[in-house]
Amino acid sequence: MSEQDSNGTSNAGASSHPERVDAVSVDSTSVGQNAPAGFPNMFKGMPPVSSAAASKAPVNGSDAAAGVFSQHAIPDQIPQPDAYPAQTAPAQIPQPDANSRLAAHAQYPQPDVYSGQVPQPGAYPPADIPMPPAGGQPPYGTAPGDMFGWEAATPQKSQAKRGWIIALVIVVMLGLLVGGGFIFRAVKNTSTYGPEAKAREYLQAVVDGDVDTVVSMAAPNVTNAARALLNKDIYAASAKRPSDFSIDDTVVSGADATVSASVTLDGKSYPMTLTLHKTGTADVIFDAWQLTDGGLGSVQVASPESVTTVNGVAVSLSSGDEMPVLPGKYTFTPQKTSQYITFGDPVTISVVPGDTDTQAVAFGQSWTEAGRQYAVNAVNQRISGCLASDHFEPDGCKHLKMNDPGYAVTGITRTWSSAPTVTFKDGADTASSSNSGSFSFGSGSSNAWADEDLAQNGLTGSVVVSGGDLHIDYKWRVTEEQDWMSDTAVDDNVFSGHTVVAVTVGANGTPQLEFGQF
């Protein structure tokens, strides 16, 4: 048998046969009440046994050739854990007070907060400070956080910490929400509600022919009668209208904005300027912008009641004021009153983008050639009727009057040695002259336009009669006993320069002549 170590365990036997123990010598001081700390508790309090009993105990089924327990022997039956007397747990595990924890904590060397030097291993902890076992579980009865000498966090501190974290999260979220709101508002103000967005919406409506949207956004400050040309059917029938646009620049100055755009019409680009004004808010948080000038053109029609269609669409124009129109081409067609009167040919105008000058469309009545000839023929018929009269003064022909010589006259016959000239002139001819004939036939020339009221009837004309050498054959006698004697009178330039017959439009559209001064 090899020499035993100080603990009574055979080193040689343990090394050569780890699964077998040949002999164990146990001191009574090392088993039982004074067992080492690492020895199983089950041997504490075991009664000593005799050497004889120990010699009877087999060791691993063989003779105990190497030796036996000297003073204590393994009992015949190993007590089970539940065979030991039950131990009653204390009602409350004693906790070290704060002073003892602080005192224990003070025994640990503290790091040098200025030099950054940390004590070397082995300098702590002291032997009397409980440390957790190798498995990491603190000793029984040790409060969390006390195993290293510091105090565990209390519920109040944990709740306060959670409150600060929640408050911080709320502040961050509010900051993100407010910042995001400002960003969202700025983006929306630019893309949907800003002046440039409004200008795009307006110009797109112009290109699309959406007249209702154009009118609602531009809101021209004119009467309803003056909005007659802002008609979707008229605009849709326009031969040429804008096909595209682009925004060139936007300048915002306080509550006012100016948008510069380019609008394409018939393949050509025209500059167009829109002005807007901020009127308040839209959808609670966004800016509201209103067009103050939509860059519309304007047209003024003389005698608007004479227009029957615009771009082939029937209209009833009643305003002589300037009428706003969208960029495009417009053809105005007048009415035809009668064969004697016309309002002229259709008039076509082109309104280009950005051109704010007013374009004039005039439809004055005028006489047709048939109307002019009608008036001339009427005057000639009057003169012929006067020539046929055998009276001194034919009715309605004072220019052909023959003065009474004071004796009997008969067989008056009037003829022209040189017929007068009868012509038609548009408008009122107010010129007049006097009669200078050698034989006084009447009061000379006359002019119906002396009646100023006639000039207020719209379309006017004048039939001018000038010249005419009158030859009058007649017979005369002084007494009844005398025979009739023939004689002749001649009057040169009967109409002495010219005589004017006023011509106006009758109720049925025919020329109406004023012979009151003839």
Side-chain angles (χ1 to χ4, degrees), residues 190-204:
T190 301
S191 63
T192 305
Y193 296 91
E196 181 174 330
K198 285 295 180 182
R200 288 184 181 278
E201 181 183 358
Y202 173 76
L203 293 176
Q204 189 62 54

Side-chain angles (χ1 to χ4, degrees), residues 152-513:
T154 63
Q156 292 82 358
K157 292 183 178 180
S158 299
Q159 292 178 0
K161 184 177 181 180
R162 282 197 302 270
W164 279 107
I165 294 176
I166 293 173
L168 180 60
V169 171
I170 292 174
V171 170
V172 171
M173 292 181 66
L174 287 176
L176 292 175
L177 182 61
V178 172
F182 276 108
I183 296 175
F184 175 76
R185 180 180 182 274
V187 172
K188 278 297 214 179
N189 263 338
T190 301
S191 63
T192 305
Y193 296 91
E196 181 174 330
K198 285 295 180 182
R200 288 184 181 278
E201 181 183 358
Y202 173 76
L203 293 176
Q204 189 62 54
V206 172
V207 171
D208 294 342
D210 187 356
V211 179
D212 293 339
T213 298
V214 171
V215 173
S216 65
M217 295 186 68
N221 187 26
V222 296
T223 63
N224 290 331
R227 297 187 184 190
L229 298 180
L230 294 175
N231 180 290
K232 60 182 180 181
D233 296 329
I234 293 176
Y235 194 56
S238 176
K240 295 178 181 179
R241 69 185 196 195
S243 58
D244 197 8
F245 74 91
S246 63
I247 301 297
D248 300 329
D249 189 26
T250 301
V251 177
V252 179
S253 178
D256 296 307
T258 301
V259 178
S260 300
S262 296
V263 180
T264 303
L265 176 66
D266 192 23
K268 183 178 179 180
S269 180
Y270 296 89
M272 189 171 182
T273 301
L274 308 176
T275 59
L276 302 93
H277 181 73
K278 183 159 57 176
T279 58
T281 59
D283 295 339
V284 181
I285 62 173
F286 303 107
D287 295 334
W289 291 87
Q290 174 66 49
L291 278 167
T292 55
D293 184 359
L296 299 177
S298 61
V299 175
Q300 190 168 23
V301 180
S303 302
E305 66 281 353
S306 65
V307 178
T308 57
T309 65
V310 178
N311 290 345
V313 179
V315 295
S316 178
L317 303 182
S318 60
S319 174
D321 298 332
E322 296 180 1
M323 294 182 287
V325 290
L326 292 168
K329 182 174 285 188
Y330 299 86
T331 299
F332 296 79
T333 302
Q335 62 178 332
K336 292 184 180 298
T337 303
S338 69
Q339 62 176 325
Y340 307 113
I341 301 170
T342 181
F343 287 91
D345 296 328
V347 175
T348 299
I349 63 171
S350 292
V351 180
V352 300
D355 184 5
T356 58
D357 293 337
T358 301
Q359 298 199 41
V361 175
F363 285 110
Q365 290 177 312
S366 62
W367 301 102
T368 64
E369 188 58 34
R372 295 185 178 92
Q373 193 60 50
Y374 179 95
V376 169
N377 292 340
V379 171
N380 284 329
Q381 290 175 4
R382 175 62 67 91
I383 294 174
S384 297
C386 294
L387 286 176
S389 174
D390 61 355
H391 297 157
F392 285 113
E393 183 176 348
D395 293 337
C397 294
K398 63 183 180 180
H399 294 284
L400 303 182
K401 176 182 177 181
M402 175 182 175
N403 292 331
D404 185 356
Y407 44 79
V409 175
T410 189
I412 298 174
T413 305
R414 295 176 175 88
T415 59
W416 294 110
S417 59
S418 176
T421 302
V422 180
T423 59
F424 184 92
K425 295 182 65 176
D426 291 321
D429 189 338
T430 59
S432 65
S433 62
S434 61
N435 191 339
S436 59
S438 59
F439 191 94
S440 178
F441 282 85
S443 60
S445 65
S446 64
N447 194 329
W449 289 118
D451 184 357
E452 295 181 356
D453 292 339
L454 291 175
Q456 307 301 318
N457 291 341
L459 179 62
T460 61
S462 301
V463 177
V464 179
V465 184
S466 61
D469 296 331
L470 182 62
H471 187 101
I472 302 176
D473 294 321
Y474 64 96
K475 293 180 179 180
W476 64 276
R477 68 182 180 180
V478 177
T479 64
E480 293 181 358
E481 291 79 12
Q482 289 180 325
D483 295 331
W484 292 102
M485 293 183 293
S486 298
D487 202 350
T488 300
V490 176
D491 188 6
D492 296 332
N493 196 18
V494 172
F495 292 98
S496 62
H498 64 261
T499 297
V500 178
V501 177
V503 183
T504 59
V505 180
N508 58 355
T510 60
Q512 178 175 314
L513 284 72

Side-chain angles (χ1 to χ4, degrees), residues 61-85:
S62 62
D63 294 335
V68 297
F69 289 105
S70 61
Q71 297 184 17
H72 295 276
I74 298 174
D76 295 335
Q77 184 177 0
I78 298 175
Q80 298 301 315
D82 57 357
Y84 290 93

